[in-house]
Amino acid sequence: MPNTRRMLVLRAVVEDYIRSREPVGSGSLTRNHQLGVSSATVRNDMAALESEGYLVQPHTSAGRIPTQKGYRYFVDRLATIVPLSAAQRRGINAFLSGSVNLEDTLQHAARLLAQITGQIAVVASPSLASSNLRRAELIGLSRGTVLMVVITDTGRVVQRTLHGPLQEDPNALADLSDQINRQCQDLPLDRAADRCRMLADSLTEGRDKSMLRLVATIFDEMATREQTSGLYMAGTSQLTHSQAVSLGDLGSLLDALEEQVVLMRLMRAQSELSRESNGVSVAIGTETRTPELAHASVVTSGYGHARSRQTDGSEADEPVAFVGSIGPTHMDYPATMSAVRAVASYLTGFLAGGGEP
């Protein structure tokens, strides 16, 4: 662990390398930073940091660049994440407030984050498994066919068609819809299924009983089968043309983006960790446990709030989805972390307002 002065030297090296992408020498550090010591002392500190694994010298006569360990130390010692300015926050609100629905908002959020960071932005839509019921409607279509429309608190709208000897009277379907909503509104979908089964068990045999059992089955399906989310990505083209990543690393990064299941698993896990780290989690290089991201960093934040049932029967507050930025290990960490957190905060507010602009 570096001493206080070495920590300042390391921070200065990381900041200068992020800005210039050129190896940093002791002379430039003493010129550009008020370290209060001579160039020779800084050179000794840099040699010590190299021996401790925080810096590396790519060429004998060149300066030094941070290692993964150096970036990790830098990120962990960021006392606070500098918030975006009021003008930047107003810009985010203005850009995203023009969206017409949840999907449009998430697409806009990905494009905006990519523009701010110059990196690849990934925004996941909330899965139905992490959503609560806002409203359900049963609408008769034809004899033996009923359309079930489910609206969740995360703005998702899902339609399912039910077939069989079902209730057909429009007034009876409206009454049954109202009963379901009175009993199940704001419940997670698995608990809404349980409540519908209880309602069905309280009735004598009939079409309402059959309908409630079918509705419970649909809620169960939505809660257990759709564990994945849709992904909205932006920024691949601009990162390709920015020359911020070598061609070899870019190819590996693009391969990682193709493996969406792996990417989602990584970023979902990181978003859960973000609750304990100023709302943002950073995985650097091999910390991603994804070979294609060995020379990249992933900055992630969860957004939205959902009550989740734990294995011990208790409930915990968890994010419903995530927003993240993927770029080179020499990314501007403070700026990227601020942008990711700001976009996540907007999306959380959007969902709290019912998923409506």
Side-chain angles (χ1 to χ4, degrees):
M1 177 82 53
N3 59 28
T4 302
R5 191 183 66 236
R6 287 181 190 165
M7 180 185 72
L8 295 176
V9 171
L10 174 60
R11 182 185 182 101
V13 172
V14 173
E15 290 174 346
D16 283 7
Y17 184 66
I18 287 173
R19 183 173 58 253
S20 69
R21 298 175 197 158
E22 295 289 341
V24 181
S26 57
S28 65
L29 287 182
T30 54
R31 288 192 302 270
N32 299 330
H33 300 269
Q34 296 180 343
L35 298 173
V37 293
S38 68
S39 178
T41 300
V42 172
R43 190 160 49 250
N44 290 335
D45 286 339
M46 293 176 73
L49 288 166
E50 183 179 4
S51 67
E52 293 167 357
Y54 293 94
L55 300 176
V56 65
Q57 191 172 28
H59 307 290
T60 304
S61 59
R64 292 173 174 84
I65 64 176
T67 63
Q68 178 178 311
K69 183 178 179 181
Y71 285 124
R72 170 49 59 193
Y73 190 85
F74 173 78
V75 169
D76 289 344
R77 294 310 181 276
L78 288 174
T80 58
I81 301 174
V82 179
L84 298 182
S85 67
Q88 289 172 317
R89 291 197 301 273
R90 285 195 298 271
I92 289 176
N93 290 338
F95 186 89
L96 296 181
S97 62
S99 306
V100 298
N101 53 37
L102 176 63
E103 288 74 17
D104 197 36
T105 298
L106 299 180
Q107 288 176 338
H108 276 71
R111 288 201 295 270
L112 175 63
L113 183 58
Q115 289 174 9
I116 294 173
T117 63
Q119 298 163 176
I120 296 171
V122 180
V123 180
S125 64
S127 72
L128 292 176
S130 61
S131 302
N132 292 345
L133 177 68
R134 179 168 291 276
R135 187 161 185 82
E137 295 289 343
L138 300 170
I139 305 167
L141 296 180
S142 61
R143 186 176 182 83
T145 304
V146 171
L147 177 67
M148 179 178 173
V149 181
V150 178
I151 304 172
T152 73
D153 62 340
T154 56
R156 294 286 299 274
V157 179
V158 182
Q159 298 182 4
R160 294 288 189 272
T161 303
L162 313 181
H163 301 281
L166 307 175
Q167 181 62 263
E168 298 175 3
D169 179 66
N171 293 328
L173 286 173
D175 290 342
L176 189 58
S177 297
D178 288 341
Q179 187 177 11
I180 293 171
N181 289 316
R182 284 196 302 270
Q183 295 292 325
C184 302
Q185 190 175 45
D186 297 326
L187 291 179
L189 296 176
D190 57 347
R191 290 172 59 185
D194 293 340
R195 188 68 60 87
C196 286
R197 273 188 288 270
M198 290 175 59
L199 289 173
D201 291 343
S202 68
L203 300 177
T204 57
E205 290 297 329
R207 293 192 171 185
D208 281 359
K209 190 181 187 79
S210 299
M211 284 290 301
L212 285 168
R213 286 174 173 166
L214 279 175
V215 168
T217 300
I218 294 298
F219 283 151
D220 271 336
E221 172 204 327
M222 293 168 62
T224 58
R225 291 189 182 178
E226 191 188 336
Q227 299 290 341
T228 59
S229 313
L231 278 184
Y232 299 88
M233 293 190 195
T236 304
S237 177
Q238 64 190 82
L239 185 63
T240 301
H241 293 95
S242 70
Q243 298 182 337
V245 184
S246 69
L247 290 178
D249 292 343
L250 181 63
S252 296
L253 182 54
L254 295 178
D255 288 342
L257 297 180
E258 291 293 322
E259 297 293 334
Q260 291 197 3
V261 174
V262 175
L263 189 62
M264 288 183 66
R265 188 181 302 122
L266 163 66
M267 300 189 80
R268 186 179 292 118
Q270 291 298 120
S271 70
E272 293 172 358
L273 293 174
S274 69
R275 291 175 296 171
E276 305 168 3
S277 53
N278 290 322
V280 180
S281 176
V282 181
I284 304 171
T286 58
E287 294 173 355
T288 65
R289 299 183 180 180
T290 305
E292 294 83 359
L293 296 176
H295 300 287
S297 290
V298 180
V299 179
T300 315
S301 180
Y303 71 85
H305 302 288
R307 300 296 292 175
S308 175
R309 190 179 297 174
Q310 306 298 297
T311 55
D312 61 0
S314 63
E315 291 190 347
D317 193 22
E318 296 183 351
V320 300
F322 59 80
V323 54
S325 183
I326 305 174
T329 54
H330 57 263
M331 68 166 60
D332 186 338
Y333 289 97
T336 301
M337 293 163 74
S338 295
V340 167
R341 188 171 66 173
V343 172
S345 177
Y346 178 93
L347 294 177
T348 295
F350 177 83
L351 294 185
E356 299 174 359

